[in-house]
Amino acid sequence: MNANANEVVITGVGCITPLGLSLEALSAALREGRSGFGEIASFDASAYPCRFGAEVLDLELADFIESSKTYIDRTSAFALAACASALRDAHWTGDESVGLLLGTAWGCMDSLQLFAQKLVEGKPKFVSPLPFTHSYANAPNSLASIEFKLRGFNACLTSGHVSGLAAVEYACRRVALGKEKRLLAGGSESLSEPIFHGYCQRGVLSSTREPRPYDPASIGMLLGEGAAVVAVEEAESARQWNTPVLARVLGWASCLGESVADGLARSMRDAMARGGLGPGELDAIVGFGCGSPALDAAEIEAIRAVFGEARPALTSVKGWLGEAMGAGGAISLAAALACLEDRFVPAALPTYGPLPDGVRLVAGEPLDGAAGTLLVNAADPSGACTSLLLASA
Amino acid sequence: MSPPRLVITGLGAIAPNGNSVAEFWAGLCAGRDAVGPITHFDASPFRNANGGEVRGFAFAEPEASRAKQYALAAIEQAIGDAHLEGEALRSAGIVLATNFGGCEHGQKLLTAQSRGETPDPRWLAEFDFQAGVGAAVRRWGLRGPAATLSLSCASGVAAIGYAVDLIREGRCERAIAGGYDELALMSYSGLSALRAITPEIIRPFDKNRQGTIFSEGAGIVLVEALDAARARGAAIHAEILGHAMNNDAFHMTAPDTSGKGITAVMQGALDDAGVKPEEVQHVNAHGTGTPYNDKIETAAIKAVFNAHARRLAITANKSMIGHTCGAAGTLESIATLKTLQTGIVPPTIHYETPDPECDLDYVPNEARTCDVRVALCNAYGIGGTNAAIVLARWEGR
């Protein structure tokens, strides 16, 4: 690793979640322990074995952007609103050199479904070009680039559930390599029926209204949606512009392993090593625990292997917000920024029966007080894992 | 600490003109038109029923996506070409890119959903953008960094660029990188609705060009840190000097006639490479054959290279194999690399009538031998995505 790599900081954040349309709203909801789940409203889920999800139902895009949209996919709308907030928060509005890296697991499925309707009707010649162009996985990137005139580095990651956090990781890499000064990075995802149906078929969704991250008795996850985008900046550039720093990014890594536990242990170790932190120096982990018995057990196994008796506080926001797939890791990152900003660590759930062994899970009440160093984890069921290490400014 | 030098040590190609790099390259040099009637679906309702299909490919899994199987076959070739095995293979990163993933399976899924039928659970898995990386990781037991990108038709160059940055940062010593896509009804009908498809043959840079032809395939390269390649005695095909990716920030489908985005991406790649425009001899153009692209790309090349633009040998591989979407940037990077290795610039075929707005040297109709030391390869896509990469001939030091 290049010892002289440029330092990376986060100077802005935008987040659109079922618990509000700003970091402040998310932070307040997590502190209060408010749930974002309800019966799914954006499509009829009554015939499915799972009927619940955490949806963003109150977004008025016109509150965030200047242009008016005759058509917009939900994945793109979430991304545009989150980008607008992050740009404002970082005072980057009008800077055309800003780059953009967004991640999404499934892209713009509602648009693809709308587009494909003519094919279902056997009229391939009469498909509409509008939903087709809006169905590309890079459509959120492109629309945000157009809206905010972002002419810098630009890419779209579609690496499953790690996509959003992996986009932030790539932004950190580009800044550390000295290739960029300023990048927006994050993830966006919408809860669409074909994907929901597929997850139902995989048998990974809980039939209850409350997924139970890290609970040994958990029976499955629930899906969520939304977007989170952060402003990733070279530390020196932030100093020059007097931009307030929300967090320093000390380390990052994406790894595959023999298993999710192995891959995550490696990505956490790599991120900690890059940041020069020992196991006893980490205050808290915002994990990917979502209520999936297999994934949650893998994360606990990896944390025990890496941190042993050091036992940093462990939480996850997916008991409140669900698994937002490609946006999930980026939303966890936004929650970690809320922890730094508002000096608390949210509880993973209000009540638990037996707690998992070998980790210090934040259960019941939030943990008050500053967490100076935080690790954010994301994992895809395929085994890809990403970790990002943050420290207070 | 200076950043590591990067080289390409393995190649794999599944293309409409052949299912190996040797056939792909021979077809390009011969100026052979590989476009033919589309057989994967009924293309008769569309403006053009021809496309560049992969032919004679042995599908090992009839139920799996064609796109994924093309990618796996190209990866297998690249690994073999690089003589990569054991820990050097297991620790390699993998970066694949695709526009549409397993598009045909996506259509089956959406059709079933719309009709209230129960989709086969495998369809979602095959449609998944990650299906290619997932299958490769399982087949070769890969344990390095893994990523999937989807950057419309800039994907194939973007994947190589991502791999370059992984190795520059020291995340891995080598990475398998490339793009893939399949020709399927769902994507083809959308591309057709955008009116990008020619009603006749594809003739990039010709005055009478009317559009592009869509195709399928996979291209894979093995990107490796020079020191790591030397340490294992690998044969080096070419050096990667730099890359760039950006967005026009203009419109979802309408071309930015100012060419600002593609000018910036070419300049960005040259800057990243530390190369002056005058040091480049060859450009493997995006050259889609659409009226706008070729005109704007020509103007952008002139903006970047100034008077030197007239000395460049420019070619459009799409004139022979069509537009392979996510694979295009990688297949054309492979062609660029072969030009650096052999000095042969494949022709732009079907070039008949010069266009005053496309007045550079497009190596019309016949391959040419030139002294090419540094070359640029362009890839652009829907939504204003742009990527460019600079490659150099390997001189043995």
Side-chain angles (χ1 to χ4, degrees), chain A residues 17-43:
Chain A
T17 76
L19 289 173
L21 309 179
S22 67
L23 189 70
E24 293 72 27
L26 175 65
S27 185
L30 290 175
R31 191 181 265 284
E32 289 165 25
R34 235 182 305 134
S35 167
F37 294 103
E39 294 216 12
I40 289 173
S42 55
F43 56 87

Side-chain angles (χ1 to χ4, degrees), chain A:
Chain A
M1 213 66 65
N2 189 345
N4 299 317
N6 291 337
E7 289 174 41
V8 185
V9 295
I10 292 175
T11 55
V13 57
C15 65
I16 302 300
T17 76
L19 289 173
L21 309 179
S22 67
L23 189 70
E24 293 72 27
L26 175 65
S27 185
L30 290 175
R31 191 181 265 284
E32 289 165 25
R34 235 182 305 134
S35 167
F37 294 103
E39 294 216 12
I40 289 173
S42 55
F43 56 87
D44 179 7
S46 58
Y48 293 106
C50 164
R51 292 183 288 119
F52 304 103
E55 294 170 288
V56 177
L57 298 170
D58 54 351
L59 176 65
E60 292 288 344
L61 190 54
D63 295 343
F64 289 83
I65 63 169
E66 286 173 8
S67 72
S68 61
K69 301 286 176 204
T70 49
Y71 178 85
I72 189 87
D73 189 274
R74 282 157 56 75
T75 304
S76 293
F78 300 156
L80 281 170
C83 286
S85 302
L87 277 172
R88 265 199 297 274
D89 197 29
H91 305 285
W92 288 0
T93 310
D95 181 351
E96 294 194 0
S97 72
V98 171
L100 178 63
L101 290 163
L102 288 179
T104 178
W106 299 104
C108 304
M109 284 300 287
D110 287 348
S111 295
L112 198 58
Q113 193 174 19
L114 177 65
F115 164 77
Q117 193 52 40
K118 286 283 177 234
L119 301 178
V120 176
E121 294 165 14
K123 298 173 183 166
K125 212 172 157 35
F126 298 98
V127 297
S128 164
L130 184 74
F132 178 68
T133 50
H134 282 259
S135 76
Y136 274 73
N138 62 280
N141 276 55
S142 295
L143 288 162
S145 300
I146 294 162
E147 183 70 31
F148 308 111
K149 294 279 169 267
L150 306 178
R151 299 185 191 279
F153 193 75
N154 192 294
C156 169
L157 276 97
T158 47
S159 302
H161 291 194
V162 302
S163 299
L165 199 61
V168 179
E169 188 216 8
Y170 192 23
C172 294
R173 175 172 305 126
R174 290 288 298 179
V175 171
L177 286 170
K179 302 292 180 188
E180 322 291 331
K181 301 273 191 217
R182 293 175 158 186
L183 289 149
L184 290 181
S188 182
E189 199 81 59
S190 57
L191 184 50
S192 67
E193 188 174 3
I195 299 305
F196 179 81
H197 193 167
Y199 280 64
C200 278
Q201 286 184 312
R202 288 174 184 179
V204 296
L205 300 186
S206 168
S207 53
T208 70
R209 199 189 184 100
E210 183 191 61
R212 303 197 54 80
Y214 309 119
D215 188 330
S218 174
I219 54 167
M221 64 171 114
L222 287 181
L223 294 179
E225 65 178 5
V229 171
V230 294
V232 177
E233 187 162 11
E234 189 201 350
E236 187 53 38
S237 159
R239 273 192 286 273
Q240 276 173 6
W241 291 93
N242 279 326
T243 318
V245 171
L246 301 180
R248 293 177 292 140
V249 191
L250 302 183
W252 49 85
S254 283
C255 293
L256 284 168
E258 303 288 342
S259 60
V260 171
D262 179 41
L264 181 63
R266 293 178 52 199
S267 71
M268 289 194 294
R269 275 196 194 102
D270 282 5
M272 293 286 287
R274 196 197 180 282
L277 252 56
E281 295 174 280
L282 185 74
D283 294 331
I285 298 173
V286 180
F288 56 72
C290 58
S292 152
L295 284 173
D296 293 9
E299 187 168 26
I300 287 171
E301 184 188 334
I303 290 169
R304 288 166 59 175
V306 174
F307 294 96
E309 289 308 306
R311 298 196 186 192
L314 171 65
T315 192
S316 162
V317 296
K318 295 182 184 183
W320 313 110
L321 291 162
E323 174 54 81
M325 301 171 278
I331 291 172
S332 296
L333 169 59
L337 293 172
C339 296
L340 289 174
E341 186 82 356
D342 297 332
R343 302 169 65 86
F344 78 109
V345 180
L349 276 184
T351 55
Y352 273 90
L355 289 169
D357 289 333
V359 289
R360 185 157 61 92
L361 188 67
V362 186
E365 292 296 312
L367 206 60
D368 267 317
T373 51
L374 282 143
L375 196 61
V376 182
N377 288 335
D380 186 75
S382 70
C385 298
T386 300
S387 299
L388 204 77
L389 176 62
L390 302 180
S392 53

Side-chain angles (χ1 to χ4, degrees), chain B residues 28 202-206 282-289 293-294 297 313-322 332 335 345-351 361-364:
Chain B
L28 292 183
I202 174 173
R203 45 176 88 249
F205 301 107
D206 185 288
H282 169 56
V283 176
N284 191 311
H286 183 55
T288 54
N293 176 81
D294 298 0
E297 190 172 11
I314 302 167
T315 195
N317 298 156
K318 291 182 183 75
S319 65
M320 293 175 269
I321 61 168
E332 289 162 19
V345 180
T348 301
I349 68 165
H350 305 310
Y351 184 91
D361 175 5
Y362 306 106
V363 191

Side-chain angles (χ1 to χ4, degrees), chain B residues 39 86 91 100-101 122-123 149 152 155 164 202 290 307 318 347 351 354:
Chain B
T39 62
S91 63
F100 305 113
R122 287 173 299 184
W123 295 345
L149 276 72
S152 64
S155 288
V164 162
I202 174 173
T290 62
K318 291 182 183 75
Y351 184 91

